[in-house]
């Protein structure tokens, strides 16, 4: 609603305000506000180093990993309820707005992808590898310019989903506790959700819960990217919807194929595909039937597409606010 029973702005109005502030000042806020996903990731890394031992059996690893996730969820829900309780008192809504700004990292993630394009254009492969390192799980020093650009376009699609659509969805559905639960699992999946021997059991609870929480947001992100395509001169909505139907389920992740397929189809690109991890070739399916030789200019197109999709997301929240206010 427009206002709460205590005189402050209602949750959806707070969400619109937070989205506007993030779009304008997200880069600056990213440097001064704590990142709940980052805190969760550091906690999980510490727990991984202390609790995850190769000599322990599979059941023990699974149990200990589940305990780590349970601890995170309890802290996230408790913190979210505390913020909402304070938010119901006087001007406590400002704390809820601050919590939203901590959870929304759309502009900051967008800027990090833009930095990859600038690094490629100004310095070439080596600066590009350094810029993309924190945005992909691939072995970056085996990537050429096209591989770096391809990873950056994929990162733009993932960031739109995980740093904008998913937290907005979680907050709109379950308030601050939902937002904090999502950000906690976002960090846990980043720390423990990668496939492999070390995290296969210990991280399985984090990966499974992350998949469950992201199932609907990932599909919404793909839809928004497809609907944004007509507003980008060289993008095609028909290509986005066609690739969503044919290739969204080809991605190794249960959910990430949706925004990546929409991005690939809209821009006429082929994303994913085989890549090297050291001396080993990792076989992954191609997503999209377009051009695999992605360029820095394509990163710019991906950023433009995600920016328009973000505006559509704002419009969706505004429409929801109007609908709730009219009841």
């Amino acid at each position: 609603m427009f206002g709460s029973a205590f005189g402050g702005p209602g949750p959806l109005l707070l969400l619109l305000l937070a989205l506007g502030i993030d779009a304008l000042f997200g880069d600056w806020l990213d440097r001064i506000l704590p990142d709940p996903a980052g805190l969760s990731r550091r906690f999980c890394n510490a727990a991984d180093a202390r609790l995850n031992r190769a000599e322990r059996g599979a059941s023990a690893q699974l149990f200990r990993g589940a305990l780590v996730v349970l601890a995170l969820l309890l802290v996230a829900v408790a913190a979210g309820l505390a913020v909402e309780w304070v938010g119901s008192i006087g001007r406590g809504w400002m704390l809820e707005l601050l919590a939203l700004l901590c959870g929304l990292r759309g502009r900051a993630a967008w800027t990090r992808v833009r930095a990859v394009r600038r690094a490629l254009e100004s310095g070439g492969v080596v600066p590009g590898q350094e810029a993309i390192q924190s945005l992909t799980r691939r072995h970056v020093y085996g990537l050429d310019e096209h591989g770096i650009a391809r990873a950056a376009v994929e990162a733009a699609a993932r960031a739109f989903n995980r740093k904008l659509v998913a937290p907005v969805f979680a907050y709109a559905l379950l308030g601050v506790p939902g937002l904090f639960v999502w950000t906690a699992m976002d960090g846990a999946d980043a720390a423990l959700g990668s496939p492999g021997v070390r995290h296969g059991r210990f991280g399985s609870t984090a990966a499974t819960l992350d998949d469950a929480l992201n199932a609907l947001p990932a599909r919404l992100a793909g839809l928004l990217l497809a609907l944004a395509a007509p507003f980008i001169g060289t993008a095609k909505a028909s290509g986005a919807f066609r690739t969503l139907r044919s290739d969204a389920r080809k991605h190794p992740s249960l959910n990430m194929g949706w925004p990546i397929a929409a991005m690939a189809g809209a821009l006429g690109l082929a994303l994913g595909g085989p890549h090297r991890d050291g001396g080993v070739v990792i076989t992954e399916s191609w997503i999209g039937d377009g051009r695999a030789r992605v360029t820095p200019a394509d990163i710019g197109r991906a950023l433009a597409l995600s920016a328009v999709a973000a505006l559509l997301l704002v419009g969706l929240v505004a429409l929801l606010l109007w609908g709730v206010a009219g009841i």
Side-chain angles (χ1 to χ4, degrees), residues 29-318:
L29 292 173
D30 185 56
R31 295 192 292 269
I32 64 172
L33 291 180
D35 179 7
L39 294 174
S40 171
R41 184 169 60 251
R42 287 195 288 273
F43 172 80
C44 288
N45 284 333
D48 180 36
R50 186 174 181 84
L51 300 176
N52 189 13
R53 296 284 189 269
E55 63 271 16
R56 294 194 175 107
S59 297
Q61 290 177 335
L62 179 64
F63 177 71
R64 287 168 180 262
L67 283 181
V68 171
V69 171
L70 178 61
L72 271 176
L73 291 178
L74 291 175
V75 170
V77 171
L81 291 173
V83 168
E84 288 196 337
W85 178 76
V86 174
S88 67
I89 302 172
R91 297 186 181 275
W93 61 266
M94 294 181 182
L95 179 61
E96 187 164 340
L97 176 62
L98 192 63
L100 265 168
L101 293 173
C102 289
L104 294 173
R105 299 279 165 162
R107 176 58 186 263
W110 188 91
T111 302
R112 290 189 183 100
V113 176
R114 184 181 62 182
V116 179
R117 179 189 183 183
R118 292 180 172 179
L120 282 173
E121 290 178 335
S122 62
V125 172
V126 174
Q129 290 171 338
E130 294 173 355
I132 195 62
Q133 189 165 21
S134 64
L135 302 179
T136 182
R137 288 176 174 174
R138 295 183 179 181
H139 184 72
V140 299
Y141 297 108
L143 299 177
D144 60 7
E145 178 182 349
H146 301 299
I148 295 167
R150 200 159 53 242
V153 172
E154 294 169 10
R158 281 197 306 272
F160 175 66
N161 171 207
R162 300 188 70 89
K163 301 301 181 182
L164 200 59
V165 176
V168 165
F169 184 88
Y171 176 78
L173 193 64
L174 296 172
V176 182
L179 173 68
F180 282 176
V181 164
W182 165 253
T183 54
M185 294 316 304
D186 185 25
D189 183 68
L192 306 176
S194 57
V197 175
R198 178 169 181 81
H199 294 141
R201 288 288 183 173
F202 189 80
S204 64
T205 302
T208 301
L209 187 53
D210 179 86
D211 285 340
L213 292 175
N214 197 28
L216 292 178
R219 286 153 177 79
L220 176 60
L223 176 62
L224 290 171
L225 288 168
L227 292 175
F231 300 96
I232 307 298
T234 56
K236 294 182 178 179
S238 59
F241 283 113
R242 183 178 65 252
T243 307
L244 278 170
R245 288 194 301 270
S246 62
D247 293 355
R249 293 178 176 84
K250 292 181 179 179
H251 195 274
S253 166
L254 187 63
N255 297 312
M256 280 301 100
W258 295 90
I260 290 175
M263 185 75 80
L267 301 181
L269 301 175
L271 301 176
H275 57 92
R276 289 188 176 274
D277 189 349
V280 179
V281 176
I282 307 298
T283 302
E284 290 184 10
S285 299
W286 289 102
I287 297 178
D289 57 3
R291 175 170 41 87
R293 295 174 68 84
V294 180
T295 67
D298 292 317
I299 302 176
R301 296 167 64 216
L303 290 171
L305 185 66
S306 61
V308 174
L311 288 176
L312 294 180
L313 178 64
V314 171
L316 184 61
V317 174

